[in-house]
Amino acid sequence: MRLVALLGVFAAVAALALGTSFVLFPTTHLEQVVVWQLRAPRLLLGAAAGACLGAAGLLLRTSLRNPLAVPELLGVSGGAAAAVGTCIAFGLSVPGAPLTPALVGAAVGGALTLLAVRGAKGPAAVLLVGAAVGSACQAVLLAATAMTDSREQGVLVRYLLGSLTGTTWSALVPVGVGLVVAVPALVAVLPRVRLLRLGDEEAMSAGLRPGRARLAALATASLLVAVVVAQAGPIAWVGFFAPALAERLGRSGVVAAASVGAVVVVGADVLARTVLYPIELPVGGLTAFAAVALGLLTARKRVRV
Amino acid sequence: MIAEVPLSARGVRVRFGEREVLAGVDIDVRSGEWVSLLGRNGSGKTTLLRVLAGLLRPDQGAVLLGGDPMAGLGRREVARRLALLPQSAPVVAGLTVRQFVRQGRYAARGPLGMLADTDDPHVREALRATGVDEWADSPLDRLSGGQRQRVRLALALAQDAPVLLLDEPTTFLDLRHQVEVLELVRALQHERGLTVVSVLHDLAQAARYTDRVVALRDGVVHADGEPGDIVDSQFLRAVYGVSGEVLQITTNGLLKTIVVPD
């Protein structure tokens, strides 16, 4: 965890200092604007997004006792993105947008997948059904993109992979509002989720209603994902690999999963901005790449064992 | 809260589709006694235990817990009065023995109370009573089957409930660990004044360790009494459909039962 903290500090400094102009100590007015009006909110949004996705991934996989039950595979991220994208493409004005459509989409996507999975046992079933729901969401989003003019297509691309481009302080307001609800919900649901790890009968014997607890976990995870997706799109696979990476570092707690998520997104965004400079890559593309690498690593290890 | 009859069932009926698994069961479990539920597979004994534990709602009838209808109690209130050791559970990775046993305090402390990682005397006591304190900080998935069963018992004990239900607690254990678990439960029954209800498959073990046996057949109570009084060859035929001899000897005040099928 010390390593994660160190990397976090490093990534945060890099996020503030690197870019068109290298600025470590902003002195001129322009430098101050670049650092405090452009890079700082982007850093905060990236950290918040990574933390939310990491926490949501941990909630889902723990409460469903399935390492593959993560927002990206449960249709939660895809549902949120499709809902927001559709609203933008058709110019629907929804009160509280983009947070409300994201929340509805996340909940519907997750519920659809879980209903379809119902009865089928094992992580593999979630993988297959989740992939189907995920593709369906992606198809909705692509269809919406195809139907809009080019100016809005740029906006919609964000909801395909996730991007932090053009973050301002005002973009952080709905995130803050979402977090005011999501963080207490997370705190309240955590002890219940921990109890679910022991098995349904054990949890019930200890005084929990497993069905209700699982529903609360799903709702909380949907909220956490919606907060992120509404602003930055579904930053790909962070909900999958942040808890997995934290677990490999020997930590199974929510703080670890959230920290790893935050560091990964901030770090990936620094790379997204600088690697092909002046072209900006969507941060979700880089995190997706990292997830593939981690997946291969894990798969190789499993085969060896 | 120690009621004279801490746990009872009244006219309990449970139906799974067409089949009536429990067809009107009445049972009173008295304070401080160990009752074992016996019967062949499908006789309804596990279903009855699940109904008594509140895991399954009977289609008709009621379970009284400490004199109150269980249906009217919240799940946490039930957990404060009754703990269950289910038959099998997923192996939980990434938890130490202490963290696992600590989860038993959920009903007493509430969800927010569980957030504070304070030292809990009930957890310490449960670890000590089951003899698992030396592995308290080891990962649960490193323990052997026998050790793990003790830890699961510690989880139930940490609830500090006056009634303990055990669903086939000796399954998957070798003879030594079976005896160890049964001895442990009996010691806890006497030390803590626990009321215990268990499903057991081994007739000889049930007769040896428990105060009372309740035999189920076709979803009703077929026989109910002290093992020395009712376990005989007729019982063997009626309850298990096995013809054979039941020999009972008492040495040093302990009843020992030998079952010899023909």
Side-chain angles (χ1 to χ4, degrees), chain A residues 187 191 197 201-202 204-205 207, chain B residues 50 75 84 93 111 152 159:
Chain A
V187 169
R197 294 175 73 176
E201 293 199 344
E202 259 86 355
M204 211 163 162
S205 167
Chain B
R50 291 171 60 83
R75 196 59 233 177
L84 166 75
R152 297 180 63 222
Q159 277 177 238

Side-chain angles (χ1 to χ4, degrees), chain A residues 52-75:
Chain A
C52 285
L53 290 173
L58 186 85
L59 274 189
L60 290 173
R61 56 187 259 157
T62 312
S63 61
L64 297 166
R65 283 195 296 275
N66 182 345
L68 293 179
V70 292
E72 293 83 3
L73 281 175
L74 282 182

Side-chain angles (χ1 to χ4, degrees), chain B residues 87-101:
Chain B
Q87 192 182 0
S88 61
V91 176
V92 187
L95 281 184
T96 67
V97 168
R98 192 194 309 278
Q99 287 168 335
F100 179 81
V101 172

Side-chain angles (χ1 to χ4, degrees), chain A residues 201-263:
Chain A
E201 293 199 344
E202 259 86 355
M204 211 163 162
S205 167
L208 188 78
R209 290 191 190 281
R212 274 192 214 175
R214 213 166 271 132
L215 198 64
L218 181 64
T220 308
S222 297
L223 181 59
L224 286 166
V225 170
V227 166
V228 176
V229 172
Q231 283 311 321
I235 304 177
W237 299 104
V238 176
F240 162 65
F241 78 87
L245 201 59
E247 201 169 69
R248 295 196 76 170
L249 296 172
R251 298 296 175 115
S252 57
V254 72
V255 176
S259 310
V260 171
V263 171

